[in-house]
Amino acid sequence: MKNEKNILIIGASGLIGEHTYNLLKSEGKEVIGTYNKNKREGLIHFNLVDSSLSSLPLEKISHALICSAITNLDECKKNPEHSHEVNVKGIERIISDLIQREILPIFISSGAIFDGIKGGYKEDSERNPISLYGKQKVEVENFITSNTEDYLIIRPGKICDFHKLFSDWFERYKKGDTILCANDEKQSFTSPKDIARAIDLLIEKNSRGIYHLNQPNSCSRFELATKFFEDFGIQDAKIKGCSLDDFGGEKRAKCSFMDASKFIQETGFEFTSIKEYYKSIDTI
């Protein structure tokens, strides 16, 4: 393993990848980023199925963060062969190459590896995915742990762009629209900015193994919306509770929030309060 920490981000145009790429760049770190469909200035095109790591300048790279994947659960179910080709075979091929090159693989997994019956899952809790996407993540996790002891597996909580979510809710409120929110789920809604900061910290600390990264608190989307409007003194918002099942599509774990105490205790990391994101909404 190389002494200097120079990072490759496969999928630097996605939510986690982009925030991590921008953070590392802002810190003056050596970072290379790739994109597949969402072209971004400064990024190199890379496809998990067809591209080779040999096409990338990896001489100084010590860590490779793998964010790229088909993350839409419904798309995975609708196209099982293609999603397996990308999310499993493609990623395993890249990880094998990284191991041979002595580059540390950092794999972005998911809380979808759990069944979502009880929540509060720890890193060593039993994995029992109910979606094809979750099963694909388990398959890659198993591949990694069977082929190397030098790895990082990151399981982020429910990634949420709070600015976008809160702005959308407020716009719907101003129009008098009903805001439909599931009330039978429980998630740890977490900002991609916090995930990026956490990944950066784990890299700096030379951490290895599996880590859960999410807000220590959990709630339903209905509870989140209700609290949002209450905090702004808005009493007449039309928030309607429903079941997560009402949205149809692939099965989704209803209580997939995880216990991130291992990461928090080891690093002293503090996740950003959700209320902090209220400040970014200048329309209120």
Side-chain angles (χ1 to χ4, degrees), residues 46-217:
F46 190 88
N47 182 291
L48 284 176
V49 176
D50 302 316
S51 299
S52 170
L53 288 180
S54 299
S55 65
L56 302 175
L58 302 179
E59 293 79 11
K60 297 180 180 180
I61 296 299
S62 59
H63 298 66
L65 176 63
I66 305 169
C67 301
S68 186
I70 298 174
T71 58
N72 185 290
L73 273 65
D74 296 331
E75 185 178 348
C76 288
K77 182 180 180 180
K78 184 178 180 180
N79 302 291
E81 292 184 3
H82 175 62
S83 63
H84 189 272
E85 188 72 22
V86 174
N87 288 353
V88 180
K89 290 185 178 180
I91 290 178
E92 288 181 354
R93 178 177 65 87
I94 297 302
I95 289 173
S96 292
D97 200 347
L98 291 171
I99 293 172
Q100 292 180 358
R101 295 170 184 266
E102 297 185 344
I103 296 174
L104 180 78
I106 307 174
F107 175 60
I108 300 295
S109 188
S110 169
I113 65 169
F114 301 113
D115 53 26
I117 294 176
K118 62 178 183 178
Y121 300 101
K122 294 181 178 291
E123 283 79 0
D124 59 356
S125 294
E126 180 183 3
R127 299 169 300 168
N128 185 31
I130 62 175
S131 66
L132 179 58
Y133 173 73
K135 293 174 183 177
Q136 291 171 347
K137 289 295 188 183
V138 167
E139 197 168 342
V140 176
E141 284 193 6
N142 289 343
F143 178 83
I144 294 171
T145 57
S146 296
N147 285 276
T148 182
E149 295 180 354
D150 205 25
Y151 65 85
L152 261 177
I153 292 176
I154 305 295
R155 297 173 183 160
K158 181 67 174 179
I159 303 301
C160 184
D161 183 336
F162 291 109
H163 174 75
K164 182 178 179 181
L165 178 65
F166 293 155
S167 296
D168 176 66
W169 281 347
F170 189 68
E171 287 302 314
R172 291 189 188 187
Y173 162 71
K174 289 195 297 183
K175 294 176 182 178
D177 294 344
T178 297
I179 302 170
L180 196 63
C181 296
N183 56 14
D184 61 347
E185 64 166 349
K186 202 160 190 177
Q187 306 289 354
S188 292
F189 297 98
T190 305
S191 164
K193 291 183 179 181
D194 276 350
I195 299 298
R197 290 197 301 118
I199 291 172
D200 186 20
L201 184 57
L202 287 170
I203 291 173
E204 282 300 311
K205 288 184 170 293
N206 293 312
S207 300
R208 300 291 189 274
I210 302 173
Y211 287 89
H212 289 174
L213 304 182
N214 58 230
Q215 285 270 2
N217 302 315

Side-chain angles (χ1 to χ4, degrees), residues 163 166-171 173-174 228 232 234 278-284:
H163 174 75
F166 293 155
S167 296
D168 176 66
W169 281 347
F170 189 68
E171 287 302 314
Y173 162 71
K174 289 195 297 183
F228 169 72
F232 283 100
I234 297 173
Y278 291 173
K279 300 176 183 178
S280 67
I281 309 169
D282 53 18
T283 54
I284 296 180

